[in-house]
């Protein structure tokens, strides 16, 4: 920009408020403008080339976020033309000087751009000329009015030729240049005015001066003509985008177009700008970004709750929360109050649960609209309305509009909402839901049951994993590839992996590698997971790539998997959306993947989270005890760990072998001495040749055929030769013995019972002795095993007991045979 333009200062604006000299010199800012100016970083404004006096933003070409490419001609600040390295104006000047296009492109050094503004030849004149060795516009006009043939030196020696002071500012509000001559405009704007006046006769010059954009100059953005509040808002928007790491989209061209729109629409604030009418997509996105950032900076949760669509960024979350689907005023206000108290309790993606509840409340609102009063009076509702809502959901499921899962989720969410507003006291007098009857609620019985799932089975088969590992080299970028490798090797959740810091690898006392990560879901920080040397090498290689890419950022501020976009400092990790999207594209590019049976494996099941199930399954198949696996998975509840893996047929058969080797008859005698001698038929018999009875199995054929319901010995399995038990029933036998002893003591102390009833109900000494002997025999055989054998038996018992899909209820007595009809 010209020196004249840089020298132009705007007049000071006095008033109430405080002056922020780094933002706007000589202007007192208060209200929203003062609040935003107080948030701005002065160091950023200085580094971005902001002049608070002239209100011109001139980012240096090498700025990390606002920088740009420049023309190779020295002194020219314009952007180069595509493929040439020089701007259009310099290209035209050089070709006019006789250079060929190929010479211009290949030349290392190009003739510098001549100065466009030089001092006037008149001594002491403060105005400039457009060419070297010339007069300013006013003195040139005087020179032309003198006699013909007058030499310039004679004109300069004339005592009547006096120096002039600085030129006035251009009358165009957005222009930072000085006016030429007496026209009141700078030269370029005077040319624009002449063209506009010729095209539109009668054009109002005053209105034209207010809305006409400034003269575009490469690398410079003028904020002249904009109200102080809008200037501060634009600067704040640029700063916020820089904070978010947005690079390139806030270039001088897009920013100039956005400021031109703001000036032409004469807005008092960026939120008043009609961005939808802007033709440029980049400028439109920039204006909307400015309005959003300004609104978030000035908003607070209390003010946000007054609207029907909440920006969750105000509450520390992502996305929006829409209450417009709830039409009853009382219900909408109650939903807002409930959401306002529940949002602070959520972290991560937990705010999605709040959105689910609000969507369920919208379905309740839809059901209530069918009432004659449209559900507008809460005290007029009853249990019948809740039933109508449940019936409506059942109908939607039958029509395929919603699934059983959605129906279940809607019911549970609505129940949580109705319970929550009562807990908050919103049904009391003076509250939004005042008078809502107590029977307008959903109970546990109202919630439809979900279909019970089988074993987890979300792990990936070994042959699929082998194909994926073989194709890892095709996965790009390197950050996503490293994330997938870490997920396969460690079984961590995707959000735990993307959140890894750069220095996430440590060593234990023995020198083995340990992964340090945060369990984001459970809120447990600095968890330690032993990893293999191969995993450590993947992490080390990724650390080297990151430090080479961001050499100027301290290690403490870097993440292990930095995003390739909007991340100049290396502080932002790749997003889950990016990880899942690139992973999905990579799996699709590998072609059909087949299982060992030759069937095509569904690619929709190959997701990053499946590696966590595969990790658990791999360790379970290797015989890792469940308590150790729970520690590896960072679970505190063993039942959660059990949901991550299934017991394969090979492992189950091995468990059957071990347990069957410890099988006993009713006398406590070992039936099998070596599990390895079992025939395949014996495995089938273990499953279908016997039926479960209390504390063991029964092999009596008729009872097996009746599914355990035709036992001739009522409640006395231990006295039958068909009874079998094994080590897996030891806890049940012990509990049964304790129950027998307690029952005997209780009956002995009871009064008012006939002797025959007492004798029939009292457990016999023979049964107690038989059960005690059986337990003693099993414990003795276990004690005779080595430590490793005992551990193997313990693991086998865990497998068998978990997968024993039979009923252990008491058997029924065999019904009497039907009497033969006498035909004689």
């Amino acid at each position: 920009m010209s020196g004249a333009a840089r020298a132009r200062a705007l007049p000071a604006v006095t008033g109430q408020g405080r002056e922020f000299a780094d933002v706007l010199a000589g202007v007192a800012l208060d209200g929203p403008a003062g609040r935003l100016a107080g948030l701005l970083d002065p160091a950023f404004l200085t580094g971005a080339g902001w002049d608070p006096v002239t209100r011109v933003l001139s980012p240096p070409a090498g700025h990390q976020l606002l920088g740009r490419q420049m023309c190779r001609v020295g002194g020219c600040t314009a952007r180069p033309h595509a493929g040439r390295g020089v701007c259009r104006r310099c290209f035209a000047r050089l070709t006019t000087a006789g250079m060929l296009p190929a010479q211009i492109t290949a030349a290392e050094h190009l003739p510098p751009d001549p100065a466009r503004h030089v001092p006037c030849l008149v001594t002491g004149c403060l105005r400039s000329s457009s060419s070297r060795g010339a007069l300013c516009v006013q003195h040139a006009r005087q020179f032309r009015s003198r006699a013909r043939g007058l030499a310039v030196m004679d004109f300069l020696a004339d005592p009547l030729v006096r120096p002039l002071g600085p030129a006035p500012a251009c009358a165009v509000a957005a222009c930072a240049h000085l006016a030429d001559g007496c026209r009141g405009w700078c030269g370029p704007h005077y040319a624009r005015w002449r063209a506009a006046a010729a095209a539109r006769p009668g054009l109002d010059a005053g209105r034209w001066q207010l809305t006409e954009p400034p003269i575009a100059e490469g690398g410079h953005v003028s904020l002249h003509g904009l109200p102080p509040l809008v200037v501060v808002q634009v600067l704040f928007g640029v700063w916020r985008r820089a904070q978010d790491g947005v690079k390139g989209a806030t270039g001088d061209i897009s920013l100039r177009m956005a400021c031109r729109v703001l000036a032409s629409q004469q807005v008092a604030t960026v939120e008043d700008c009609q961005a939808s009418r802007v033709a440029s997509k980049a400028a439109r996105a920039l204006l909307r970004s400015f309005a959003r950032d300004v609104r978030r900076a000035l908003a607070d949760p209390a003010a946000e709750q007054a609207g029907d669509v909440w920006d969750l960024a105000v509450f520390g979350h992502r996305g929006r929360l829409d209450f417009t689907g709830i039409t009853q005023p009382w219900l909408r206000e109650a939903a807002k109050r409930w959401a306002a108290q529940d949002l602070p309790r959520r972290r991560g993606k937990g705010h999605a649960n709040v959105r689910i509840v609000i969507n369920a409340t919208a379905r309740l609102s839809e059901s209530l609209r069918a009432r004659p009063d449209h559900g507008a009076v809460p005290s007029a509702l009853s249990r019948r309305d809740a039933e109508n809502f449940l019936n409506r959901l059942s109908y939607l499921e039958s029509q395929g509009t919603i699934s059983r899962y959605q129906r279940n989720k809607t019911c549970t969410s609505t129940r949580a909402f109705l319970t929550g507003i009562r807990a908050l006291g919103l049904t009391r007098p003076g509250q939004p839901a005042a008078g809502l009857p107590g029977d307008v609620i959903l109970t546990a019985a109202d919630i439809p049951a979900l279909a019970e799932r089988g074993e987890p089975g979300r792990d990936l088969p070994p042959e699929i994993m082998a194909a994926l590992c073989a194709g890892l080299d095709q996965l790009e970028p390197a950050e996503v590839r490293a994330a997938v490798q870490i997920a396969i090797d460690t079984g961590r959740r995707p959000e735990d992996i993307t959140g890894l810091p750069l220095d996430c690898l440590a060593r234990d006392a023995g020198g083995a590698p340990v992964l340090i990560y945060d369990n984001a879901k459970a809120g447990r920080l600095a968890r330690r997971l032993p990893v293999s040397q191969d995993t450590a090498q993947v992490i080390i290689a990724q650390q080297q790539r990151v430090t080479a890419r961001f050499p100027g950022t301290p290690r403490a501020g870097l993440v292990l998997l930095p995003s390739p976009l909007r991340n100049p400092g290396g502080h932002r990790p790749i997003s889950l959306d990016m990880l899942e999207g690139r992973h999905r594209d990579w799996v699709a590019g590998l072609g059909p993947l087949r299982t060992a049976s030759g069937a095509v494996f569904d690619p929709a099941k190959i997701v990053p989270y499946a590696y966590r199930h595969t990790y658990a399954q791999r360790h379970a198949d290797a015989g890792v005890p469940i308590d150790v696996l729970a520690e590896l998975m960072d679970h505190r509840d063993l039942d959660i760990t059990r949901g991550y893996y299934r017991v394969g047929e090979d492992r189950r058969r091995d468990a059957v072998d071990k347990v069957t080797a410890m099988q006993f008859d009713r006398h406590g005698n070992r039936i099998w001495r070596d599990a390895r001698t079992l025939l395949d038929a014996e495995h089938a018999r273990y499953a279908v040749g016997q039926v479960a009875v209390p504390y063991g199995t029964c092999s009596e054929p008729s009872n097996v055929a009746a599914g355990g319901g035709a036992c001739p010995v009522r409640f006395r399995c231990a006295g039958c030769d068909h009874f079998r038990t094994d080590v897996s029933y030891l806890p049940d036998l012990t509990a049964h013995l304790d129950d027998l002893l307690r029952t005997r003591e209780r009956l002995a102390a009871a009064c008012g019972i006939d002797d025959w009833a007492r004798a029939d109900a009292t457990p016999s000494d023979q049964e107690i002795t038989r059960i005690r002997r059986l337990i003693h025999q099993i414990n003795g055989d276990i004690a005779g095993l080595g430590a490793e054998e005992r551990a193997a038996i313990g693991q086998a018992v865990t497998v068998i007991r978990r997968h024993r899909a039979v009923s252990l209820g008491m058997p029924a007595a065999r019904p009497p045979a039907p009497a033969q009809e006498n035909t004689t």
Side-chain angles (χ1 to χ4, degrees), residues 504-529:
C504 61
L505 190 64
R507 300 281 173 174
D508 60 16
V514 176
L515 179 69
I516 309 296
Y517 72 98
D518 293 338
N519 186 337
K521 181 178 181 180
R524 296 194 287 270
L525 307 181
R527 312 304 292 170
R528 299 176 67 88
L529 176 72

Side-chain angles (χ1 to χ4, degrees), residues 604-754:
K605 296 180 180 180
I606 307 176
V607 295
Y609 205 93
Y611 298 131
R612 182 167 175 81
H613 287 265
T614 307
Y615 175 87
Q617 186 66 53
R618 185 167 68 245
H619 284 75
D621 290 341
V624 175
I626 188 172
D627 55 339
V628 178
L629 182 56
E631 183 69 22
L632 293 174
M633 300 289 288
D634 198 25
H635 291 154
R636 291 181 175 174
D637 189 347
L638 296 184
D639 289 335
I640 297 177
T641 307
R642 291 190 181 99
Y644 272 83
Y645 70 93
R646 54 186 170 78
V647 178
E649 185 60 31
D650 293 340
R651 187 176 176 216
R652 191 176 303 173
R653 176 172 177 139
D654 182 65
V656 170
D657 286 344
K658 288 184 174 65
V659 171
T660 306
M662 300 290 291
Q663 193 176 64
F664 302 83
D665 62 10
R666 68 189 181 99
H667 301 289
N669 298 320
R670 288 273 293 274
I671 298 175
W672 300 97
R673 286 291 174 182
D674 190 355
R676 296 175 190 156
T677 63
L678 287 177
L679 301 177
D680 289 341
E682 194 58 38
H683 286 280
R685 186 177 299 113
Y686 190 86
V688 300
Q690 54 194 12
V691 66
V693 295
Y695 328 117
T697 59
C698 176
S699 60
E700 201 279 326
S702 60
N703 192 35
V704 172
C711 178
V713 184
R714 185 164 58 97
F715 306 121
R716 297 295 183 267
C717 294
C720 178
D721 277 336
H722 295 287
F723 175 69
R724 300 286 186 272
T725 189
D726 57 50
V727 66
S728 67
Y729 289 98
L730 183 58
D732 304 305
L733 288 169
T734 303
H736 180 48
L737 177 61
D738 294 340
D739 183 63
L740 291 176
L741 295 174
R742 284 194 300 267
T743 301
R744 186 174 65 177
E745 295 297 328
R746 189 164 55 249
L747 288 172
C751 300
I753 301 177
D754 291 343

Side-chain angles (χ1 to χ4, degrees), residues 282-368:
R284 187 166 59 246
L286 205 56
L287 290 168
R288 288 173 176 169
S289 172
F290 290 168
R292 180 189 66 245
D293 291 337
V294 166
R295 180 171 53 80
R296 289 177 177 176
L298 298 177
D300 63 90
E304 192 70 20
Q305 293 171 28
D308 292 334
V309 180
W310 293 1
D311 183 355
L312 292 183
V314 179
F315 301 87
H317 300 287
R318 298 179 60 184
R320 301 192 308 170
L321 196 59
D322 193 343
F323 296 88
T324 56
I326 307 174
T327 57
Q328 294 81 10
W330 69 270
L331 189 59
R332 180 184 296 182
E333 182 60 27
K336 290 181 180 180
R337 299 271 290 274
W338 177 88
Q341 65 85 31
D342 195 70
L343 280 172
R345 305 177 181 179
R346 305 292 178 176
R347 62 173 182 267
K349 291 187 176 181
H351 67 278
N353 296 326
V354 179
R355 186 178 291 109
I356 291 173
V357 173
I358 298 305
N359 291 340
T361 308
R363 285 200 179 274
L364 175 63
S365 173
E366 178 186 7
S367 176
L368 295 178

Side-chain angles (χ1 to χ4, degrees), residues 200 243 324 395 409 504 689:
R200 291 178 292 172
Q243 291 290 105
T324 56
Y395 168 76
K409 199 68 176 177
C504 61

Side-chain angles (χ1 to χ4, degrees), residues 310-610:
W310 293 1
D311 183 355
L312 292 183
V314 179
F315 301 87
H317 300 287
R318 298 179 60 184
R320 301 192 308 170
L321 196 59
D322 193 343
F323 296 88
T324 56
I326 307 174
T327 57
Q328 294 81 10
W330 69 270
L331 189 59
R332 180 184 296 182
E333 182 60 27
K336 290 181 180 180
R337 299 271 290 274
W338 177 88
Q341 65 85 31
D342 195 70
L343 280 172
R345 305 177 181 179
R346 305 292 178 176
R347 62 173 182 267
K349 291 187 176 181
H351 67 278
N353 296 326
V354 179
R355 186 178 291 109
I356 291 173
V357 173
I358 298 305
N359 291 340
T361 308
R363 285 200 179 274
L364 175 63
S365 173
E366 178 186 7
S367 176
L368 295 178
R369 284 199 294 271
R371 287 175 49 89
D373 62 353
H374 305 294
V377 183
S379 59
L381 303 182
S382 65
R383 172 63 185 176
R384 185 180 183 87
D385 295 293
E387 294 171 351
N388 289 339
F389 172 63
L390 295 172
N391 290 328
R392 176 63 178 172
L393 294 179
S394 178
Y395 168 76
L396 292 176
E397 182 190 357
S398 68
Q399 295 298 307
T401 305
I402 60 176
S403 64
R404 170 57 67 92
Y405 175 80
Q406 290 173 314
R407 178 184 170 193
N408 176 277
K409 199 68 176 177
T410 301
C411 290
T412 55
S413 299
T414 306
R415 182 188 182 196
F417 169 73
L418 293 175
T419 304
I421 63 175
R422 285 187 167 88
L424 292 174
L426 300 183
T427 59
R428 298 173 182 171
Q431 297 298 321
L436 184 68
D439 59 355
V440 183
I441 197 169
L442 301 187
T443 65
D446 295 326
I447 300 175
L450 291 174
E452 187 172 350
R453 299 178 182 271
E455 290 183 316
R458 291 180 61 185
D459 64 295
L460 303 178
E463 57 273 17
I464 301 300
M465 286 300 303
L468 294 175
C469 292
L472 275 173
D473 292 341
Q474 305 176 32
L475 182 56
E476 295 293 340
E479 289 78 15
V480 175
R481 182 169 61 252
V484 172
Q485 288 178 292
I486 296 173
I488 292 174
D489 296 345
T490 67
R492 299 309 92 184
R493 299 182 184 90
E495 57 267 31
D496 298 342
I497 295 174
T498 57
L500 288 173
L502 181 67
D503 293 324
C504 61
L505 190 64
R507 300 281 173 174
D508 60 16
V514 176
L515 179 69
I516 309 296
Y517 72 98
D518 293 338
N519 186 337
K521 181 178 181 180
R524 296 194 287 270
L525 307 181
R527 312 304 292 170
R528 299 176 67 88
L529 176 72
V531 295
S532 65
Q533 290 292 345
D534 292 337
T535 306
Q537 288 301 320
V538 171
I539 296 175
I540 292 172
Q542 177 61 22
Q543 289 174 334
Q544 293 172 350
R545 285 193 291 268
V546 173
T547 52
R549 178 182 167 190
F550 304 100
T553 304
R555 290 182 64 92
L558 291 172
V559 295
L560 181 67
L561 304 170
S563 172
L565 302 173
R566 300 174 57 172
N567 193 25
H571 309 296
R572 185 191 301 274
I574 60 174
S575 64
L576 290 178
D577 292 338
M578 178 183 179
L579 173 60
E580 293 170 354
R582 298 294 178 88
H583 183 272
R584 183 170 52 250
D585 296 340
W586 168 64
V587 171
L590 294 177
L593 301 177
R594 299 183 181 275
T595 62
S597 63
V600 176
F601 193 78
D602 184 5
K605 296 180 180 180
I606 307 176
V607 295
Y609 205 93

